[in-house]
Amino acid sequence: MKNKWQAAFEVAKYTNYDFLHYDQDTDMIWLKDRKKKTLLCLLDMDLSDRELESITDNIFNSADNLSAIAGFPVKTINLYHLTEKKFTRKFKSKTLRVNHRTVSNLEKIISNPFYKIDMKYKKPKDDAFYKRRLMSRHPFEKYMIKFTPMTLLFVTLNTIVLLINLIFVHLFNTYELTNLLAVSHYEVASGEYYRLVTSTFLHVGVSHFLFNIFALYILGKFVEGIYTPWHLLITYLAAGTISSLFSLVFITEGISLGASGAVYGLLGLIIVHLLITRKIKAKLLIQIIAVFAAVSVLSMFVANVNHYAHIGGLITGVLLGVIFNFRRVKLKYTIIAAAVLILFTMFSHYGMNRQTSIHPMDDEALYYYEKGDYDAALEVVNNSINKNAATDMTYYLLGKLYIEAGDEEKGQQYVDQSYEMDPSNELAAKEKILEFRKNQDYDNMNAAIDKLETPVEDEELQILIDEAN
């Protein structure tokens, strides 16, 4: 490869090296790897032995200056010569190693297998493009350059799930996948905890998907570029899961889905990192706030936005930000953050289990029933029964639908079945208490009242209880 700027760009994209500076006098491009305390220099000139030794002497003489520019004590400098001439030269002092190597193929520097695929199909651009991207002072630029496989994996998974869900909805006219993967209080409280994870890959529609994926792509590359793919994996799954669990403390009806809880977790992590490393600059802060504002504003156009999940994700991301930076903060703060994260998760789980709810399909059927759309309500009820997902509320609604259709005897049988399945079902209990009162069966009436959980939410049922007392 003869294109030096493209070579520098590819190294910065596929390795841990970041652009450091460009020396116009010597026409040398410098990159740095902070973790390995190493500098990398790219040259495309054929040098004589004397010129090579002269450059090496200059490097040793300016070692302190190079360390100051890099921001860390440099231990090794690797100079790669993009030339057909083959040689290897090594020099060292007490504190510094300088290695010269020739490379005709960047695969000797870049071991990432995706680089080979990328280079096979990508058309090279001119030097100006690569130079502009590498030397940009845009705060996000160096992270946007990076190849971030975990971010791409999450974007791909979200996209695949969206496409499959759209096929289910628009071709087969069913919300089977949504009902299977989305979070609902009833089903999570019943033990289907997998929904806390699967719901973070599911979106209600294209617009919902697009603004979540836009934020995920930007913030994901930032997190993965600062840390590692595993940090992104942990943050996405932890923030997505805990945020959904936290939201169930407050939302007990309907379903919720989407990656926004995980996205807010990434945002919280980035903010804490910038605060801890003191890299908050006005331009960077404005851009982070802009991303945050864009997610918040765009979410207003989606019905039933789960703001509790956003709060839960942000809290989780902030706590993980402290934990991930344990080397930069005092040990006690790391321990406190870990303890708070555990307690926050336990509180969310406890709070969720303290709430009561009905099956989301029953909730949908009840919604249609109360609107007077009995055909739609019956379709949902039959769907629950066919899927073996029927509950006491399902049979209560089925009974009420039979009564509305004029078959009071069969309808009452289903209402009685609902009450037998769960005597604490307030709607079915109200029907039975009214029946007992009508028949002046006060013993069974009082027994039915004793089986109810307190406090009673149904106002009409509460009046009946007050009258009985």
Side-chain angles (χ1 to χ4, degrees):
M1 177 182 289
K2 295 293 185 181
N3 189 325
K4 181 173 58 180
W5 282 103
Q6 182 184 1
F9 178 87
E10 301 297 344
V11 171
K13 179 178 181 179
Y14 286 102
T15 71
N16 290 325
Y17 283 100
D18 298 317
F19 176 77
L20 180 59
H21 79 110
Y22 171 57
D23 190 335
Q24 293 183 347
D25 294 334
T26 59
D27 195 28
M28 295 164 64
I29 304 172
W30 291 85
L31 306 176
K32 66 176 180 178
D33 184 337
R34 181 176 294 275
K35 293 180 180 178
K36 294 183 178 179
K37 293 182 171 52
T38 300
L39 299 185
L40 182 151
C41 181
L42 292 170
L43 307 90
D44 57 0
M45 302 173 288
D46 286 324
L47 302 175
S48 65
D49 289 342
R50 180 175 294 181
E51 289 172 327
L52 187 146
E53 291 175 1
S54 176
I55 287 176
T56 305
D57 289 339
N58 288 335
I59 289 174
F60 278 117
N61 293 332
S62 59
D64 292 339
N65 186 43
L66 288 172
S67 294
I69 295 173
F72 56 82
V74 178
K75 294 183 178 180
T76 304
I77 297 178
N78 294 316
L79 293 96
Y80 290 98
H81 301 257
L82 307 177
T83 177
E84 298 298 329
K85 182 181 177 181
K86 295 182 180 181
F87 64 86
T88 299
R89 299 285 299 275
K90 297 181 180 181
F91 304 86
K92 68 176 182 178
S93 66
K94 292 181 179 179
T95 58
L96 180 64
R97 292 176 178 269
V98 178
N99 303 316
H100 293 268
R101 295 184 179 90
T102 57
V103 288
S104 57
N105 190 326
L106 280 184
E107 291 178 15
K108 293 182 179 180
I109 306 174
I110 303 172
S111 59
N112 192 311
F114 289 96
Y115 166 71
K116 297 180 182 179
I117 300 173
D118 193 17
M119 293 305 295
K120 184 176 181 181
Y121 298 102
K122 183 170 66 176
K123 184 178 180 180
K125 298 179 174 59
D126 57 28
D127 283 2
F129 169 83
Y130 298 113
K131 185 175 182 179
R132 183 175 65 254
R133 293 292 304 276
L134 274 174
M135 297 184 67
S136 172
R137 298 195 178 191
H138 192 288
F140 281 107
E141 190 66 50
K142 75 173 184 178
Y143 299 111
M144 297 306 293
I145 287 175
K146 291 292 185 182
F147 173 71
T148 48
M150 192 62 69
T151 301
L152 295 178
L153 175 62
F154 280 129
V155 170
T156 301
L157 289 176
N158 275 276
T159 304
I160 291 172
V161 174
L162 172 75
L163 294 176
I164 295 173
N165 198 31
L166 291 176
I167 291 172
F168 271 80
V169 173
H170 296 289
L171 292 184
F172 301 114
N173 196 30
T174 175
Y175 286 88
E176 183 83 21
L177 191 66
T178 300
N179 293 332
L180 179 65
L181 302 182
V183 161
S184 75
H185 182 278
Y186 180 90
E187 286 163 326
V188 173
S190 299
E192 296 185 4
Y193 291 99
Y194 74 88
R195 294 173 178 271
L196 298 172
V197 178
T198 58
S199 64
T200 64
F201 297 94
L202 185 67
H203 292 86
V204 70
V206 175
S207 59
H208 183 210
F209 166 81
L210 286 177
F211 74 74
N212 269 345
I213 289 303
F214 165 74
L216 171 61
Y217 180 75
I218 293 177
L219 299 179
K221 287 185 77 68
F222 203 111
V223 169
E224 193 170 351
I226 293 173
Y227 297 97
T228 68
W230 302 112
H231 287 86
L232 175 60
L233 175 67
I234 292 169
T235 305
Y236 185 97
L237 295 180
T241 300
I242 297 173
S243 65
S244 294
L245 186 62
F246 176 70
S247 72
L248 295 180
V249 177
F250 308 95
I251 300 175
T252 59
E253 297 180 356
I255 60 174
S256 55
L257 59 160
S260 57
V263 167
Y264 272 75
L266 299 178
L267 182 64
L269 173 60
I270 291 170
I271 291 172
V272 170
H273 174 84
L274 294 174
L275 288 171
I276 290 175
T277 57
R278 299 180 180 179
K279 292 183 178 180
I280 289 286
K281 296 180 180 178
K283 186 176 181 180
L284 180 57
L285 185 60
I286 290 171
Q287 290 173 336
I288 292 175
I289 292 173
V291 173
F292 179 81
V295 173
S296 300
V297 171
L298 289 172
S299 67
M300 294 179 183
F301 296 97
V302 180
N304 301 320
V305 176
N306 190 344
H307 293 295
Y308 294 109
H310 296 172
I311 295 170
L314 193 64
I315 292 172
T316 303
V318 166
L319 295 172
L320 287 175
V322 177
I323 295 170
F324 289 165
N325 286 280
F326 65 93
R327 290 189 178 91
R328 292 188 172 100
V329 300
K330 294 181 179 179
L331 178 61
K332 66 176 182 179
Y333 294 131
T334 304
I335 295 173
I336 290 172
V340 171
L341 182 60
I342 294 171
L343 290 173
F344 182 62
T345 306
M346 292 174 63
F347 162 78
S348 300
H349 186 267
Y350 174 78
M352 176 197 69
N353 286 323
R354 291 284 295 175
Q355 305 293 337
T356 58
S357 59
I358 64 176
H359 195 285
M361 295 181 74
D362 293 337
D363 187 36
E364 183 181 4
L366 182 61
Y367 169 77
Y368 288 130
Y369 176 78
E370 292 176 344
K371 280 182 60 179
D373 191 348
Y374 301 134
D375 290 337
L378 181 60
E379 182 180 352
V380 177
V381 166
N382 286 333
N383 193 25
S384 295
I385 295 172
N386 292 335
K387 293 180 180 299
N388 295 320
T391 67
D392 59 285
M393 181 60 74
T394 308
Y395 289 106
Y396 169 79
L397 290 168
L398 182 60
K400 296 297 289 184
L401 289 169
Y402 268 108
I403 292 172
E404 293 291 343
D407 193 341
E408 292 193 14
E409 182 179 353
K410 191 166 186 178
Q412 191 60 49
Q413 289 177 358
Y414 281 117
V415 172
D416 291 343
Q417 180 179 347
S418 171
Y419 179 73
E420 291 173 2
M421 292 174 67
D422 184 9
S424 66
N425 181 332
E426 294 186 3
L427 295 176
K430 182 168 62 176
E431 300 281 343
K432 293 299 294 183
I433 291 171
L434 286 170
E435 179 186 342
F436 292 140
R437 189 176 72 170
K438 180 180 179 180
N439 297 329
Q440 297 184 349
D441 187 352
Y442 299 114
D443 290 338
N444 281 328
M445 178 179 172
N446 290 325
I449 292 174
D450 291 339
K451 293 177 181 178
L452 293 170
E453 297 178 355
T454 55
V456 172
E457 296 182 2
D458 190 283
E459 294 181 0
E460 294 180 357
L461 179 58
Q462 186 61 54
I463 293 173
L464 289 174
I465 295 172
D466 293 339
E467 289 177 353
N469 294 331

